Amino acid sequence: KARGIDENYPDTYFFMGLLEIQQGSADDGRAALQRFLAMAPAHRYAPQARQVLASSVSADKSQTSQSK
């Protein structure tokens, strides 16, 4: 809903990304966080977004290697 009101508000993508990842939609969450960082690379939440992205990618790699 917030995205529909102002799709240029970066905080929307940050919180949407966290929520998507938490709910199991890692790809959608990463996409939202990447869009957030593209929109606001110096935002106060940017370090946290980068950390969550790195953790999410790392978790995916570990799941992939375990399933082989």
Side-chain angles (χ1 to χ4, degrees), residues 18-51:
L18 295 181
L19 188 63
E20 292 283 355
I21 289 171
Q22 190 175 49
Q23 292 181 343
S25 299
D27 290 340
D28 292 336
R30 283 192 293 264
L33 290 173
Q34 288 167 345
R35 180 154 184 196
F36 163 76
L37 288 169
M39 294 171 78
H43 192 284
R44 65 183 175 150
Y45 296 141
Q48 185 178 355
R50 289 183 185 96
Q51 182 180 19

